[in-house]
Amino acid sequence: MQQVRFTIPDYPAWFKACSITRFHMRFSPFALLQRCAVAALLSASFLTSTAYAQLVPGNSSDTLPAAMSIALQQARLDEANLSVYVRSPLTHQILLSKNAEIARNPASTMKMLTTIVALDELGPTYRWKTQILSDEVIQAGKLAGDLYIRGGAEPNLSIEKLAGLLRQLRAQGVSLLLGDIVLDRSFFNPARPDLGAADFDEFPDAYYNVIPDPLLLQNNLLHLQIDSDAFHSKVQLLTPLRKFKLDNQLQLNELACTQWEKNWLRPDVSYDAQRTPTLHLHGSVPRNCKAQTRVNVVDRDIYWQQILAQLWSELGGSWRGKIKVGATPKQARVLVESQSETLAEVIRTINKSSDNTLARLVYLSLGAEAARQERDKNAPQTDKSSGEKSTDNNTDKPDSHFIYAEQRIRRWMQRHSIDEQGLVLENGSGLSRKERISAEQLASVLQFGWQSLWSAEIQASMPIAALDGTMRKRLKSGPAEFRARIKTGTLNEACAIAGYVYDAQNQPWIVVAMINQDKAGRGRAALDELITWLAAYPNTSMQAASRPVQP
């Protein structure tokens, strides 16, 4: 993407270049220059903090705060398995650095890389689409031929949104669908990344493990209501499937209702000759208990067929065909269309609640858009009428959007002078045992986020200590309460934080810390001690010597 650089003299080197992409040029040049200038002036007002950072006395910059060291010892975690990096986004002074160059598993803090790159590359107003198309003419309420539903990877494509699209179709006079309904997932390659994918853990039916595709309806989840009394259990399906059977084999136990999931076993599903699903429930639930759960177990095409049939019937329509998978023909015209929330809104959900499915979707969208740009560039040599892309799970093929996404992120890092050596990407969500990034690299990404035109959108997406998201129950009633915006990450073998903290003198700091060790989650208290120490800084018992770093 071509860039136009507006140079602002006499300000810190890191802010001299205000990078404006073609997306940004949609705004008036005056507004862009004004925004850059105001940001630079505000930054200049903080330059007195350089002296503040340089006057910090004390130990080597790799010495951990005492409370953090104690917490690590109590959790039986080795400091050698820890990386920490703390630097000022204003003066670039390094306050604390320990093993910061080692690439580690960042868990969900990897979402900061994915979302910051996506905002910069796609723009905050980027939206995804879902379209219903036909290449036939509506005659006397009848639509002959196939109806195409073309997925553009719309996040949060709910049953309610689909019902709205079908309602608009009915409003155009369509009542009888004579052909099949074709699901077009060609926006991604592979079109079904979930097919053949290995289970990440023992809960593949859970939402956090859902792998997106371009037509992920209601996250493919079945919503179940469980009610039990002293003698029986009753399960009701709340998802509007046309035909569905429940095989309830749940027993009763004496546990408290709050522990209802303890003996709940993963459901399985079977299908009859008409593709009607039967859900088989196993395990036991407490007596006199009410609970709800959502499970991802039904085949996605059958899920679509059952919900479409139910919704179309409720609207008074009739459908004589079946569900198929394929591509939309060139001559098909759009009948109805829905658009998603903006990317800026979507990343709030991703980072606040650490949504793996949406993060994967954004990562693949980066690849899909990069592939589209390349295809458009080579349009004369490209056959755009080819069918739906491969549905296998080979993410290493040259045309895989996983490859395109990784290449795009690496190019972005190179363009912004961020070292990408040691970086390992798999799906961009952090729900991975392969992904790696160093604390110093992630801090550099956060540095870009701080300086970015979309800094406000980035920071607004991050959990606030003691207030919301994954930080809502952490750091209450302490110096970091409401003063830290922290993305968290936890796996069995990884525990991490990444974000921004304001200290006692209202100076901002970038902080990244990762622990990679078995049962790393025990290190959460140690990471909280780091944030607390930084929020109280410089009024702390341990003050690490700071040192400058080149912007």
Side-chain angles (χ1 to χ4, degrees), residues 302-342:
I302 293 176
Y303 188 85
W304 264 96
Q305 177 169 326
Q306 294 290 341
I307 290 178
L308 279 169
Q310 179 63 27
L311 295 179
W312 193 243
S313 175
E314 289 177 0
L315 292 169
S318 178
W319 173 30
R320 296 180 181 177
K322 60 183 183 301
I323 280 287
K324 295 195 306 188
V325 175
T328 305
K330 285 184 177 180
Q331 69 273 19
R333 70 188 191 285
V334 177
L335 300 178
V336 295
E337 175 183 286
S338 72
Q339 290 194 349
S340 72
E341 301 88 344
T342 65

Side-chain angles (χ1 to χ4, degrees), residues 26 39 85-86 91 151-152 179 225 261 314 339 370 423 449 479 489 495 506:
R26 299 178 190 176
Y85 195 72
V86 179
T91 67
Q225 170 73 48
E261 288 182 295
E314 289 177 0
Q339 290 194 349
L423 176 71
C495 188
N506 213 34

